[in-house]
Amino acid sequence: MSEFGPLSRIAYVNGSYLPHNAAAVHIEDRGYQFSDGVYEVIAIHRGSLVDEAAHMERLERSLSELEIDWPMSARCLSIVMRQVIGRNRINDGIIYLQISRGVAPRNHAFPAYSESSLILTARSMPPFDAAQASKGVDVITIPEIRWKRRDIKSISLLANCLGKEQAVQAGAYEAWFVDDDGLITEGTSSNAWIVAADGTLMTRHADNAILNGITRKTVLKIADEQGIDFVEKAFSVEDAKAAAEAFITSTTSFVKPVARIDGDKVSGGKPGPLVARLLDYYAEHMNDQAAV
Ligand code: PMP
């Protein structure tokens, strides 16, 4: 038995480590009432957090854009994250953390005083499996109906949920949002990429239209290091359907080839060579992170 005692899922809620099914927040928490909060999902690979610093930087940005106070120092949060990983004995999986503006009588404007709420959960997932990760998936395209601050990792994910449900109903893995100009913004929970016919790697530039994924940033860094030509620029559904390769990136999907877009095959329906290379590099990156 480890120092953390017998196995049961443990959540962290505002200062307490509780059995997962007993963990709860106040009904007037503004996260519950208004989606007035932000979150992060960080991968755990061989017991280590993947790209922790980048996730903390994005969390800081999301909080400051919404003027939500840190519930504790970043240093304390890193200790709590390790406690949650240890108490749940996670080797491979994810940690979820959410910070809301806290509890206050329901009123749209910010309360004069509230203490930010913090919750953390963690869950095991099957360890990274290159064969599984390299399987192509289908995506569909759907109209972009979200608000204009998608750069903030807000817990307000209703449009994303509706989009993902549409994907599931269509037998697909992901849905790509398409803006009024016919350009793909991103997936409901991932960033969208193509390899154009001339071999150029493309993903939309990071502005308010998309969440700047940590996996996206890592893949761009890898491309840079490996001398792979890339451009951060929006592409259309037609561009994507005509592309040599397409893929998605996210903390939980890693680098995932797209086999079909709206039923049309990309790259002959098989993972292309560049995405396969990028997935290898990404797997190496995760191993390096675990070795730190
Ligand atoms: N876009 C959206 C809308 C997302 O929800 C996610 C996953 N949180 C991403 C992109 C990918 O971000 P990351 O690589 O940091 O997981």
Side-chain angles (χ1 to χ4, degrees):
M1 191 185 294
S2 83
E3 57 169 313
F4 295 108
L7 185 62
S8 70
R9 273 190 83 193
I10 300 293
Y12 175 92
V13 184
N14 293 323
S16 306
Y17 296 94
L18 301 167
H20 192 270
N21 59 7
V25 293
H26 195 285
I27 57 164
E28 288 214 288
D29 191 290
R30 289 179 61 97
Y32 182 66
Q33 294 281 352
F34 296 117
S35 300
D36 188 1
V38 302
Y39 75 108
E40 280 295 328
V41 178
I42 311 177
I44 304 160
H45 183 60
R46 299 187 187 150
S48 295
L49 290 156
V50 178
D51 292 323
E52 179 182 6
H55 281 278
M56 289 301 110
E57 220 176 274
R58 184 171 66 186
L59 178 62
E60 158 65 22
R61 184 174 180 282
S62 297
L63 288 170
S64 87
E65 289 297 309
L66 298 180
E67 296 174 42
I68 295 177
D69 293 333
W70 277 83
M72 59 174 59
S73 68
R75 169 101 194 93
C76 287
L77 183 54
S78 94
I79 294 168
V80 173
M81 283 197 288
R82 280 159 180 81
Q83 280 289 321
V84 171
I85 293 168
R87 287 171 190 247
N88 288 288
R89 301 206 206 137
I90 311 281
N91 213 28
D92 293 274
I94 52 162
I95 188 158
Y96 173 86
L97 73 93
Q98 179 176 315
I99 298 171
S100 81
R101 200 179 305 277
V103 177
R106 191 176 185 284
N107 179 18
H108 289 56
F110 295 174
Y113 177 79
S114 68
E115 272 179 38
S116 304
S117 298
L118 170 65
I119 65 140
L120 286 99
T121 55
R123 93 169 175 240
S124 287
M125 307 228 292
F128 178 80
D129 170 352
Q132 184 59 33
S134 67
K135 278 210 180 131
V137 293
D138 291 356
V139 303
I140 58 165
T141 58
I142 58 172
E144 178 64 271
I145 59 165
R146 297 175 299 162
W147 74 328
K148 292 183 178 159
R149 292 303 311 274
R150 304 166 206 140
D151 54 311
I152 299 171
K153 200 162 169 60
S154 150
I155 57 173
S156 178
L157 291 171
L158 185 53
N160 305 59
C161 294
L162 294 174
K164 187 75 92 183
E165 179 59 22
Q166 261 182 278
V168 169
Q169 298 284 337
Y173 181 82
E174 179 60 299
W176 281 352
F177 288 113
V178 181
D179 70 14
D180 292 345
D181 298 322
L183 300 170
I184 290 163
T185 53
E186 61 181 342
T188 66
S189 63
S190 60
N191 289 113
W193 300 69
I194 57 169
V195 180
D198 70 356
T200 308
L201 183 59
M202 281 176 84
T203 193
R204 192 179 178 117
H205 51 287
D207 58 8
N208 294 357
I210 64 162
L211 182 76
N212 193 356
I214 304 303
T215 322
R216 174 188 180 280
K217 285 208 223 178
T218 300
V219 170
L220 287 174
K221 188 161 166 276
I222 290 170
D224 197 33
E225 286 164 3
Q226 298 298 328
I228 297 165
D229 282 340
F230 67 85
V231 54
E232 292 176 74
K233 188 170 165 275
F235 52 86
S236 66
V237 178
E238 292 70 35
D239 293 335
K241 288 187 178 173
E245 303 181 38
F247 62 98
I248 61 170
T249 56
S250 80
T251 297
T252 47
S253 289
F254 313 115
V255 175
K256 224 171 199 348
V258 169
R260 281 182 294 193
I261 301 170
D262 294 331
D264 295 346
K265 278 186 189 163
V266 186
S267 171
K270 289 196 220 55
L274 185 54
V275 63
R277 252 180 93 197
L278 290 170
L279 179 60
D280 282 350
Y281 290 131
Y282 191 73
E284 259 175 52
H285 169 76
M286 287 202 300
N287 287 338
D288 292 347
Q289 293 274 307
V292 173

